[in-house]
Amino acid sequence: MKVGVALNSASGKGRGEKYREVLREVLAMYPVNIQWLPVGTAVESRQIMQEHIDNRLIDALVLVGGDGFIHTAVNAVWDSQIPVGIIAAGSGNDIAREFDLPIHSVHDSVHQIATSLLTRRYRDVDVIEIEWDGGIERALAIASVGIDADANDRTNRLTWPKGNLRYVRGVVGSVREYAPYGVRLTMDGHSQAGPMTLLSIANTRFFGGGFCISPGALPDDGLLDVVVTPGLRHIDLATLIPKLVLIRHTKDPRVHVFRTSEVRVEPAPEHGADLPFIMADGEEICRAPATIRVIPHALRLVM
C-alpha cells in the first residue's frame, strides 16, 4: 500500500521533524510504502495532494496538522473516496475531537492509522459545501457566519495563548465591538430576514478548540445543524456565553436549532451590521451571499 504523508511543518510548534522520525519508525513496522508529499502554502499543498490522488500515485493520504490543514485535504480529496488518516497536531483539533482520535499523540495515531488501513476500518462522513459567486469550497466541521465567525477571524490573528483560551480572547474582542448583523436565511423553501448574533452551520459538534456549539450534530446523517440566535443586546449575549461553555445554550429559548440539507445566507443590511467573512474549519472562505449544503458520505476517514 502506498501511503502519502503530508506533514505541516508548522504543526506542534516546530516539532515537525520529530514527528517525521516517529512516522518513519512506526510505519516501518507495517507493509506500507511512504511517499512524503511536499507541503507549502494551502494552495500548493492542495495541488500536490490532488495530483497524487488524481494520478493514483497513492492509495491513502495521512495528514499531520490541525483543522486548517485537514480543510485543505478535504478540498484536495473531493469525491475520490481515498482513505484519509488524521494525526492531530494543531492548536484546536476540533475535528479529531469529534471523531475521538488521539490528539498530540503522534505515535498512537500512526499505529491506529496503519492498522486501520490494513483492516479497512473506515467511516464515510458528510462534508459541507459552500458555494458563492467566486467558487465552491468544502469543509468538514462547521461554517460560522455571525459573531462566531468574527471571533474565529480574530483568533486566527492572535499568537497567544494556545488552544481554546486563544478563542476566548477572540470572543472577548468580538463582544466588545459587537453589533447585531443583518441576515436573510432561506431553508427548505422558507425565507426570513432580521438581526442575528450567532449563526453556526454545523456538520460536527466542536469549534474554537473544544466548544460544543451543536451537541446534536452527527457527521453522517445527511443533515446540517443550523444554530442561530436573533440579534441580542450586549447584556443578553453576556448571559448566553457561560451557557455555551457549559453546553447548556441549546436549552435557552433565544437559541434555535434547525436541521436541513441546505441553507442560503444573504446579507440584509436593513436589519443590521455587515456580515463577517464566512469561516469554515477555522479558515476564511468568502463573503455572503453563499449557499451552504451537505454532501452525504463524501469523505472516507480512517478510524
Side-chain angles (χ1 to χ4, degrees), residues 63 65-75 84 86 95-96 140 281 299:
L63 311 167
D67 293 341
F69 199 50
I70 296 168
H71 176 86
T72 298
V74 167
N75 284 279
V84 176
I86 295 171
I95 291 172
L140 180 53
D281 297 340
L299 183 68

Side-chain angles (χ1 to χ4, degrees), residues 274-294:
D274 292 341
L275 293 171
F277 272 96
I278 295 174
M279 310 288 288
D281 297 340
E283 301 297 303
E284 183 181 293
I285 305 299
C286 66
R287 289 279 189 187
T291 299
I292 301 174
R293 62 178 66 92
V294 66

Side-chain angles (χ1 to χ4, degrees), residues 185-237:
L185 297 179
T186 303
M187 291 181 282
D188 303 320
H190 301 284
S191 183
Q192 186 168 353
M196 171 271 292
T197 299
L198 173 76
L199 177 54
S200 292
I201 301 167
N203 183 43
T204 60
R205 294 171 291 170
F206 300 102
F207 74 169
F211 292 105
C212 186
I213 186 64
S214 50
L218 296 171
D220 54 6
D221 63 352
L223 293 170
L224 300 170
D225 281 33
V226 181
V227 183
V228 61
T229 70
L232 302 175
R233 299 175 300 167
H234 275 85
I235 189 170
D236 296 322
L237 184 55

Side-chain angles (χ1 to χ4, degrees), residues 4 54 138 149 205 240:
D54 291 347
R138 288 187 174 181
R205 294 171 291 170
L240 184 61

Side-chain angles (χ1 to χ4, degrees), residues 80-274:
S80 67
Q81 291 293 296
I82 188 169
V84 176
I86 295 171
I87 298 175
S91 57
N93 301 303
D94 288 312
I95 291 172
R97 187 173 287 106
E98 170 67 33
F99 297 104
D100 294 322
L101 300 175
I103 294 175
H104 289 295
S105 182
V106 177
H107 188 276
D108 292 346
S109 294
V110 181
H111 274 296
Q112 179 174 317
I113 289 169
T115 55
S116 295
L117 283 172
L118 295 175
T119 58
R120 301 182 63 84
R121 189 165 68 240
Y122 306 142
R123 182 178 178 184
D124 292 342
V125 300
D126 306 337
V127 299
I128 299 170
E129 187 169 85
I130 304 164
E131 182 176 4
W132 71 102
D133 287 345
I136 299 176
E137 191 154 339
R138 288 187 174 181
L140 180 53
I142 293 173
S144 301
V145 184
I147 195 170
D148 42 327
D150 185 73
N152 190 163
D153 182 46
R154 290 171 186 268
T155 301
N156 286 351
R157 290 184 268 121
L158 298 173
T159 57
W160 67 272
K162 63 181 181 179
N164 59 6
L165 292 178
R166 190 170 66 193
Y167 188 79
V168 169
R169 189 176 168 212
V171 169
V172 170
S174 294
V175 171
R176 186 183 298 123
E177 299 181 22
Y178 157 77
Y181 307 102
V183 69
R184 177 178 297 278
L185 297 179
T186 303
M187 291 181 282
D188 303 320
H190 301 284
S191 183
Q192 186 168 353
M196 171 271 292
T197 299
L198 173 76
L199 177 54
S200 292
I201 301 167
N203 183 43
T204 60
R205 294 171 291 170
F206 300 102
F207 74 169
F211 292 105
C212 186
I213 186 64
S214 50
L218 296 171
D220 54 6
D221 63 352
L223 293 170
L224 300 170
D225 281 33
V226 181
V227 183
V228 61
T229 70
L232 302 175
R233 299 175 300 167
H234 275 85
I235 189 170
D236 296 322
L237 184 55
T239 63
L240 184 61
I241 290 174
K243 293 182 179 181
L244 171 61
V245 174
L246 297 171
I247 321 178
R248 296 176 181 170
H249 57 290
T250 54
K251 297 180 181 179
D252 190 299
R254 298 168 295 181
V255 178
H256 306 282
V257 181
F258 305 93
R259 287 199 168 103
T260 186
S261 59
E262 182 175 296
V263 56
R264 175 75 174 169
V265 179
E266 299 172 278
E270 68 275 18
H271 290 290
D274 292 341

